Amino acid sequence: MQREHLRRGFSISHQKVVLEVDFSGSLWGHTEITVVPTSKDLKTLHLHARQCVIHSVTVASHPADFVHSDPLASLTISNVDIHNHPELRRKVYSSLQEGDEGELSIAIPKEVSLRQSGQRAVAGIASEAATPEPQTPGQQGHNALPVPEFTPIQVKIYYSLKNPADGIQFVQPSESYQTRVPHVYTTPSSPDAARCWVPCVDNLWEKCTWDFEFVVPRSLEQHDALPEEEEEEEEDSTEDYPTVVICSGELVEQIAHPNNSSKTIFIYSQPIQTSAQQIAWAAGPFHTHPIPTDLSTAEDASGTTQPLMHAFCLPGHESLLATTISFMRSAMSFYVNEFGSYPFGSHKLVFVEELPSQRFDAATLSLVTVDLLHGEDIIDQVYETRHSLSHALACQWIGINIHPKFYSDTWLVNGLGLYITGLFMRKLFGTNEYRFRLKKDMERVIEQDNGSMPPICQPSSYEPPDPVHIPFINLKAPLVLHILDRRLGKSGTSLGLSRVLPKLFLSALSGEMTNNQISTHHFLRMCRKVSGIDPRSFSEQWIYGSGCPTFGFSASFNRKKMAVEITMRQEAPAFKANEDNEVNKLLFKPVGFFEGQMTIRIHEADGTPYEHVLDIRSPFKRYEVPFNTKYKRVRRNTKRYLARQAAAQAAAEGDADAAAAMDMVDMGFGLEVWEKEQERENWKVADWTEEDEQNMAGQTYEWIRIDADFEWIAAIAFDQKDYMWVSQLQRDRDVVAQYEAIMVLSKTPNSIISSTFTKTVLVTNYYYRIRCEAAAALMTCANQRLDWIGLFHLFKLFLRYCYEPDDSKADLFSHTYVPRPNDFSDIAEYFVRKAILTAISRVRFENGKTPPVIRRFLIDQLRFNDNTTNPYADAFYICNIISALASATVSARPPERGEFISNDAGPVQDQEDLDLLKRALAEVDRYRSMDRLIPTYHNVVTVAVIEFHLLLSLASLVPHDPRPFFPLTREGNYIAVRLAAFDYIFLGKWYTPKIMRYILSVMASDSSRLVRRHVARSACQSLALLVSMGEMKTPKEADSLLIEEDGNGGEKIKENKKSELDLMIKALRKDREVGKNEVIRELLMPIALAPETDSEVRWCLIKLADLLIRGSEEQPPKVTIHLPPTPVVEAPPPILPPVKLSTKPPRPIKAGGPPTPSPRTSFTLPPKLKLVPSSAQVDVSAAPTPSVAAPQIATHRRGGDFSVPKVPPKTAPVHKEKVGRVAPRAQASGMSAQDLTACKNALKKLQEHKKASLFLQPVDPVRDRAPNYFDIIKSPMDLGTMGAKLKQGQYKNRFEFEADFKLMINNAKTYNMQGSFAYNEAIAIDSFFDKIWVRINKTLEATAHKAAAQAQAAPPPPPPRSIQIPAPSKFSKAGNSAPPPASVPTIKLKMGGGASGPNGVAPSPSTSKPAPKPKGRKPKEPRLSEVPPPAPIAAPAPPPPADEIDDGSADLLAEVIAIEEQSKKEKGHDRRHQSQASTPSHREKEREKPPAPPPADKGKERQAPKLIIGKRKKEADLTEDEILALATPAKKERPNVPIPGPSTVPPPAHPNHVVTPRHTESPVPARNGITIPKLKDRPPKSSPPTSEHSGVPPRISIKGKEKEPSRPATPNGKPKKTPAQATPMNEKKCREILRTLSKIPECHIFAKPVDPILDGCPTYYEEIKNPMDFSTISSKLSNGQYSTMEEFSKDVELIFSNCRIFNPPTTYPTQCADIVERAFKKEWARATEKKLSSNEKSALRKMMNQIISEPLSWVFREPVDPVVLGIPTYFDVIPRKDARDLKTILQKLNQDKYDSVDAFEADLDLMIRNAIVFNGADSEVGEFALKLQNRYRELLAPIKGGGNAKRKGSEMGKPQPAKKVKLG
């Protein structure tokens, strides 16, 4: 870097630039470069020159050949297509790399000879590497080497520029900015900006001296031709604003042009060597303001030794300039006195427009944006301006004169500049401001340096720091230097950095510092020399390491030892965050432990502070600090205390002697408000209780300060009593101590703390920022528990600025606050007033809404604001009120589902809210209109108004309508207004074609570089922001498809590895409005290729293309390799073992042909199913072989649905499950499943409530200090006990659960006094319970009511129907005999199930809420033969409660199992575990039902058709594919729409109707040779159309491979279309859809009912018989008139169809209908998708982490690697698509690939079966697998048990069907 000229072959000693400037956009001239060759072989000079047109080059007066190529100016790609953006990106990278060597190559003519003139030593300080400490990792210095030096050569280059894109900024008037003053200046628009305006060596380390000549017009004003006698007079007037050139260096002279009197020549010289990157100049009609010398300094009174200082501004800003730079001379004097002489001869500040950054610092010159100018009436801008300008001056010492030696030393140069700037700000604004800002900066560093940030110095890095990390480096570096200064000053013999920095700057001025380059190594060595301290440990932790420590301290007094025992514990969050990431540990170097000394200050009983030093050498230590005072804390009733109080009173009144004698003055003494009893009552002042007074009197010290001297950048938590923090706040004069006390006290709000904060705000002795923090902390005391005391105090405080009420005791919560005329003369009161307003706006109810009184208060402040007599502007004050009003209007309810903006509505807006919102909008818009007529400072009010509308639109309080803000984005508005308006647009639907075209045109051709860059950056960032906000939701079809194809889709295996970001990008690319946007595809690439495009805009466009467009792969270049003529024999590729790569997953067989081999176990349904009592006969076509893996589980089944039992593989041992065969324990007393779920949900919400902490566990009389509790309370109760009773099944119904809760509340109210904390907590949690319990009761009662209503409307049930299964003669090839018909048990299909009403008809599906899949533990199913015959089946019993639904599948299952067992017995097979295979679930049911009457007609039953169980496989082991298929989730388990639950499975249209499973189209030969005939009988009877709730068939998934709906057999054999299944009503989702649609501008015409008169359509209601609109839909939602989601959708679709019926095509209404309908369809699809709930996902993730952490799982943690494990045939046995391991399953879980717990468990089962299939059940791995299976099933049981409305069959552990057989 700094020795690059050795490689280049030459260096530059001097450069002269001669330029003539044309303000219309061009300049021309030449440069003379004095080149000093360093090599005799130098043939070509490579210089940097971009954008220039090189006309001619001479070398030593000889014409020279040259080649000039600007790669960025001639960017081309093979095909200008948007898909070729990767090629463009590569070309840009390549062009930048080519430019590093130089764009201009000059051949040295033969006439020029290189003559050696001597040698010189270069390359650094010889001794720097000789000092071993402090050791700096990375680059080291090198010894000086003699380098030959040759006679200099003069190179002269003639060039010109026209309309440059970078490096030079021409500001010109235009139609939009007609009053703009033309000027031109160098701009840091890109890292290589220097080469963009002059050929040079663009390198920070290449320095030379400079001469400049600028030829400019004498004046830019144009005048008409004048008579000769008037010309002389006019010349004087034109000189009001002559053209001025300001340049780096010193002004030599200003002369008239010798040949043209209308031009002026400015000559500058820079005698100090300076890099081309630190040269700047500006030209224009600037106003010159000389900054006078400071005669009060210690320098010569004449001021000759003080550097010249000038400031320049454009015409019109003269009045602002003097105010803005009034302090600059004092800054210069401070720096000179503290750090030594100014390194240059003068300093100049030039204020220009359109600067892309706040400042551009160059040698002797700083270009500054005009935004920093301010007048005398502006308050808020002062600090920022003074800090920025004083930093610009400080950079002349460190940053310009001294620059970093390596890129890694950037932190030191930036940090030193900011550090010495902070020292001047301390002198300018005071120590309090300095320390307060240090504390705030430290908190920001701690927040950011959490493991994601690198060290501030990385010596191993040879690249410049990442621009993203520069702000963090600039924030942390001055803090590190501050604590280094504190440690050097405390531990060493020096005064810290105040002795180091002058020596450092002196060495640069004297030439001791080679090339004025400073390194971290050199700086630390100088610190060691000056202070005598080795900073090695400090540098390793704070400079070369990352992270900040976190300390926890506690203190206790040991009276025996008379010492304070302080316990210290240290943690390193950054180290913990990267503990498991070796790469980050290597890159970021997080520090695991920080060591050093920390100062603590103990303020003992008499108030005297004693300092002690803790030596921290271990993460945990207990220190004993000696105590000095020999008596207890001063009591308040002692003479000492009274004398001290009197002294404090005198000190507060201004007695300096008393103040000096006090040492610490209590800030609160002398405040009149707290002395008068009447005033104390008016202010509701709270005092300490007697108990607190006793505790305070018994303390031996007042308070303790940790790290009192600010020596650590650390988060420190210290535990001490509240009154100690109050003492620290009131009596410690350090603002940091006061700030820390406020922060801690605000976490434990009470009335005493509220009074303390109020007193802090009132006492003017406090620094104003502490008063502001106290006002902000009062917000924490404004809550219902404290009776809103904090809000009362805030109103009382603000009342000081308003007219007093007539009644001194008036209610402040109903008072109208009319402010007095503004008077901001007291600056401190101005900031306190703003802080009070902000604090009031943040007060919230528990539901997140702001009290209406606050919104009225803020509206009144806008309405009655009066600034007529105020000497200061109130623009920023108005902005503060508008911002506070926006904050108060928006609910602070935290978003759900992790989204930026909650999709769930906050508290419902009532009429008062709407009125207040309307008033707020009116007031805010009034101020916007005023700002347009009378502009405020920088139009800050308009910016605040735009942000107000933006916040309200994000909160869905007002529609997002960008149309009013588009005019504000156009040229002619103030830049800040334009940027704010663009922000508003980018947070909406900005990617429509018209807006997109406008956005791209702004990027390409806007006159403001700031706007172009901001728009380009926002275009990239807004897409992700819109997704996170929920405004542009990405579709999840890809995820659902993965779920459906899980285990089968081999081609989708790569999708598992995609992150959320990849899925989002994929969705954006497929979106028609974004990725398929024609405007982007048409215009983006030409803009990016244009040479005038800004460099940052080009990169943003490339990023945008990369996000939205899939790039095409470039063809690799053709490389020809010449090989020797050696014959090469190409060997054929090795034959790999066959790998089965299925492009389509195996799927069940379709009708129409023989069954294909399936990996699933075969089980054929009966060919005929005759329902005996009915005359209708239904033939059932052969079904596809159902999956017996993880089947689809319907939580409730109606009559006719039955399960197909699972057949477990023989390789796995059969485990008899103890859980799941009987009813859950929680229902032991008869509580229904719905009641149980409701109680569990209610209990969970209660336990998570913030008011529940007192009720979570039983009362302990000792712990809770309630010794007589059980004497008063005879029946104690708490939430923990209620949870235990609920779990043990001690509740019969939900009303007993409610009674126990009310008992708990009554106990709390009985034992605790009214108004106490516990009493108030009980009231709060009781009101919360009532709110949720009412909702629960309404839901359950509505379900029961609708069920009863439908049961009454349904026809009476037919008598029980049964199916007999006699043994056919040709039943199976495995056995020749079958059981006699008489011995075959009867299978009865109970139509209507156990959930039937009085008439036996199942309740309506729409009356109950959708129930998720059962979450009970899924038991291992026994073999069919292991279950003995069940007991006789009972007749239909009286209907049980609606939540206990028995669908009869248990009876059917028992019969089928009995048949199978009997068949196997006759085959002579051994059946183990027979006695254990009984069906307790069935027996349980039998006990619950009355005895069944005998069948009506046994003979008919015997004549029933035969139920033929399909031919079973032989007893040999199942095939590998079949075993794997057992764990494969069936397709029905992964639906796209919500899984049908008890409320979504419809009752049968007729009891006799049987629907075959899906994919059944035509008769298929059964596997036992019996063909199933087509259905030829008469069609089944249909149920009468009773209501809209009856008989809605199930919805069929339309995604993936399930697009073929289930088609039952019909008389003509054609498939019958199955209607969609009803989805239960979800009002919240419907509301969300309506909110989304309401944001669309085209939706307004559908918002209200059509008015035939107002809307001009008198015949509307004649043509449209069923009108509909969104307000009507919303009303129907509110009234509960929708029972299914489909009804809601039907009404929405009715709106669009009505519109199209009434309006002709292509008209505006139909176009609006098309737009809104597209949006509705997108939202509807999202509203019906299903995935795991957040609670289930969280529980499963926690379970997986627990399993992975257990030793049992070590075999299954990572995917199988056949090569590493030496099992090359693994994937021959286990297909790749079925491979599973814990890591893969966890990744799928994190990526939302599971839609149910069962699908998740199926993958775990598949993993276990894979292990058993490959290794065998008896192997060690097989044993591990079985143990792991038992373990995860044990952990899954409570997760699956957490679901609501589990069906009874699932509770008893019966296997669930993979396919559904439905009636109807």
Side-chain angles (χ1 to χ4, degrees), residues 1192-1203 1227 1232-1235 1237 1343 1392-1396 1402-1405 1407-1414 1440-1449 1539-1548 1594 1621 1843-1851 1856-1857 1860-1862:
Q1192 165 69 19
I1193 301 174
T1195 51
H1196 289 65
R1197 298 294 179 90
R1198 296 330 192 251
D1201 290 1
F1202 62 93
S1203 350
Q1227 295 179 254
S1232 67
Q1234 292 182 350
D1235 277 8
T1237 302
T1343 302
S1396 60
S1404 169
T1407 58
S1408 58
K1409 289 183 176 286
K1413 299 180 182 179
D1443 46 23
E1444 297 183 8
I1445 299 176
D1446 181 8
D1447 54 12
S1449 59
I1539 305 299
S1543 63
T1544 60
V1545 177
Q1621 175 189 4
N1844 53 354
K1846 294 188 299 181
R1847 74 185 186 92
K1848 194 170 182 181
S1850 174
E1851 291 166 2
Q1856 302 304 313
K1860 297 180 185 176
V1861 179
K1862 295 177 277 293

Side-chain angles (χ1 to χ4, degrees), residues 487 542 548-554 567-573 593-598 616-620 623 706-707 712-718:
R487 296 193 183 189
W542 297 103
C548 297
T550 299
F551 287 102
F553 284 93
S554 61
T567 303
M568 182 277 302
R569 186 184 304 274
Q570 181 191 143
E571 294 181 354
F593 169 70
F594 291 80
E595 60 181 20
Q597 292 183 339
M598 181 179 290
I616 298 175
R617 292 288 179 266
S618 62
F620 177 80
Y623 300 89
I706 305 294
D707 189 24
W712 291 76
I713 306 174
I716 299 176
F718 179 47

Side-chain angles (χ1 to χ4, degrees), residues 199-398:
C200 61
V201 176
D202 191 3
N203 189 314
L204 180 64
W205 292 273
E206 188 68 44
K207 294 183 174 183
C208 66
T209 58
W210 294 79
D211 283 328
F212 300 94
E213 290 184 15
F214 296 94
V215 180
V216 294
R218 203 173 94 182
S219 174
L220 297 182
E221 298 183 35
Q222 297 179 355
H223 298 277
D224 297 332
L226 297 173
E228 292 184 1
E229 60 271 11
E230 298 180 10
E231 188 173 345
E232 192 171 317
E233 296 178 5
E234 190 65 28
E235 281 185 4
D236 296 336
S237 64
T238 60
E239 296 301 317
D240 290 343
Y241 295 106
T243 305
V244 178
V245 178
I246 308 100
C247 181
S248 296
E250 312 305 325
L251 177 63
V252 177
E253 60 179 336
Q254 174 185 351
I255 60 175
H257 196 284
N259 303 324
N260 190 341
S261 61
S262 65
K263 295 186 178 180
T264 304
I265 301 177
F266 287 83
I267 301 175
Y268 281 86
S269 176
Q270 171 65 341
I272 300 174
Q273 290 194 343
T274 308
S275 166
Q277 295 183 359
Q278 294 171 344
I279 295 295
W281 58 270
F286 290 102
H287 167 73
T288 305
H289 178 85
I291 300 177
T293 56
D294 186 4
L295 300 180
S296 63
T297 60
E299 300 171 346
D300 184 8
S302 65
T304 54
T305 61
Q306 297 184 13
L308 294 176
M309 299 183 70
H310 290 83
F312 302 85
C313 70
L314 295 168
H317 296 155
E318 298 88 352
S319 60
L320 306 179
L321 182 64
T323 306
T324 304
I325 52 90
S326 59
F327 68 98
M328 288 299 294
R329 179 58 71 178
S330 61
M332 175 69 80
S333 301
F334 175 81
Y335 292 144
V336 169
N337 292 337
E338 293 292 329
F339 308 114
S341 301
Y342 181 64
F344 303 105
S346 64
H347 184 257
K348 301 170 281 289
L349 287 173
V350 184
F351 292 88
V352 296
E353 296 181 356
E354 296 290 345
L355 193 66
S357 57
Q358 196 177 65
R359 283 194 340 262
F360 174 32
D361 297 323
T364 77
L365 168 67
S366 289
L367 298 175
V368 189
T369 176
V370 292
D371 295 343
L372 293 183
L373 290 171
H374 63 82
E376 294 181 350
D377 60 339
I378 299 299
I379 299 174
D380 302 68
Q381 186 66 40
V382 172
Y383 187 93
E384 181 185 2
T385 296
R386 296 196 174 185
H387 183 273
S388 182
L389 297 184
S390 57
H391 183 221
L393 183 58
C395 288
Q396 299 297 319
W397 272 269
I398 181 77

Side-chain angles (χ1 to χ4, degrees), residues 1195-1357:
T1195 51
H1196 289 65
R1197 298 294 179 90
R1198 296 330 192 251
D1201 290 1
F1202 62 93
S1203 350
V1204 179
K1206 289 189 178 182
V1207 182
K1210 295 192 67 177
T1211 54
V1214 178
H1215 295 274
K1216 300 303 171 189
E1217 295 293 340
K1218 297 181 181 179
V1219 183
R1221 288 288 181 181
V1222 295
R1225 189 175 183 183
Q1227 295 179 254
S1229 297
M1231 175 179 275
S1232 67
Q1234 292 182 350
D1235 277 8
L1236 176 62
T1237 302
C1239 293
K1240 283 183 177 180
N1241 291 339
L1243 182 63
K1244 183 178 180 181
K1245 292 181 178 179
L1246 289 171
Q1247 290 173 335
E1248 293 174 351
H1249 195 266
K1250 60 182 179 180
K1251 303 290 187 182
S1253 56
L1254 297 180
F1255 309 98
L1256 293 177
Q1257 54 189 346
V1259 174
D1260 187 335
V1262 178
R1263 180 196 65 211
D1264 300 327
R1265 299 181 182 179
N1268 61 340
Y1269 183 80
F1270 292 113
D1271 297 335
I1272 300 175
I1273 304 302
K1274 302 301 182 184
S1275 302
M1277 184 56 59
D1278 61 284
L1279 296 178
T1281 304
M1282 290 169 62
K1285 291 179 67 176
L1286 187 64
K1287 187 175 181 181
Q1288 295 169 6
Q1290 297 183 24
Y1291 293 118
K1292 295 182 180 179
N1293 51 49
R1294 66 179 186 274
F1295 303 106
E1296 292 186 0
F1297 176 89
E1298 179 187 14
D1300 268 0
F1301 178 84
K1302 293 299 182 182
L1303 173 63
M1304 178 186 76
I1305 299 300
N1306 187 52
N1307 291 346
K1309 293 181 178 179
T1310 302
Y1311 186 80
N1312 299 282
M1313 292 189 301
Q1314 187 173 0
S1316 63
F1317 175 74
Y1319 190 96
N1320 293 337
E1321 295 290 283
I1323 292 176
I1325 197 171
D1326 189 26
S1327 64
F1328 174 74
F1329 175 82
D1330 289 341
K1331 183 169 61 176
I1332 63 173
W1333 198 250
V1334 166
R1335 189 161 63 244
I1336 288 173
N1337 278 334
K1338 285 184 178 179
T1339 303
L1340 297 180
E1341 289 168 5
T1343 302
H1345 177 72
K1346 290 185 179 180
Q1350 184 180 0
Q1352 293 175 3

Side-chain angles (χ1 to χ4, degrees), residues 962-1021:
R963 288 173 292 186
F965 300 99
F966 266 114
L968 300 179
T969 65
R970 297 180 184 141
E971 295 184 21
N973 294 288
Y974 189 71
I975 296 297
V977 174
R978 299 186 64 195
L979 300 185
F982 273 117
D983 287 341
Y984 184 92
I985 291 173
F986 275 117
L987 287 178
K989 196 174 180 180
W990 62 272
Y991 36 82
T992 56
K994 291 183 179 179
I995 302 180
M996 176 66 76
R997 191 176 297 275
Y998 173 63
I999 293 293
L1000 291 176
S1001 67
V1002 170
M1003 293 186 202
S1005 57
D1006 195 89
S1007 62
S1008 172
R1009 191 190 307 270
L1010 275 171
V1011 173
R1012 295 201 302 271
R1013 292 184 170 183
H1014 181 83
V1015 170
R1017 284 193 299 265
S1018 300
C1020 295
Q1021 297 167 358

Side-chain angles (χ1 to χ4, degrees), residues 1664-1716:
I1664 303 300
K1665 302 302 182 182
N1666 297 311
M1668 186 56 60
D1669 61 275
F1670 285 117
S1671 64
T1672 303
I1673 292 176
S1674 181
S1675 301
K1676 292 179 71 174
L1677 272 177
S1678 302
N1679 298 332
Q1681 297 182 27
Y1682 294 120
S1683 57
T1684 65
M1685 295 284 283
E1686 285 72 19
E1687 295 175 10
F1688 169 80
S1689 174
K1690 184 178 178 182
D1691 271 359
V1692 177
E1693 294 290 349
L1694 181 60
I1695 295 177
F1696 308 136
S1697 62
N1698 288 346
C1699 178
R1700 295 188 179 99
I1701 291 173
F1702 188 78
N1703 299 283
T1706 71
T1707 58
Y1708 175 72
T1710 57
Q1711 292 175 353
C1712 293
D1714 294 340
I1715 295 172
V1716 179

Side-chain angles (χ1 to χ4, degrees), residues 125 402 504-505 507-508 510-518 522:
I125 302 173
I402 300 175
L504 187 71
F505 297 138
S507 65
S510 63
E512 295 179 9
M513 185 183 294
T514 305
N515 294 331
N516 284 5
Q517 297 167 2
I518 187 172
H522 176 69

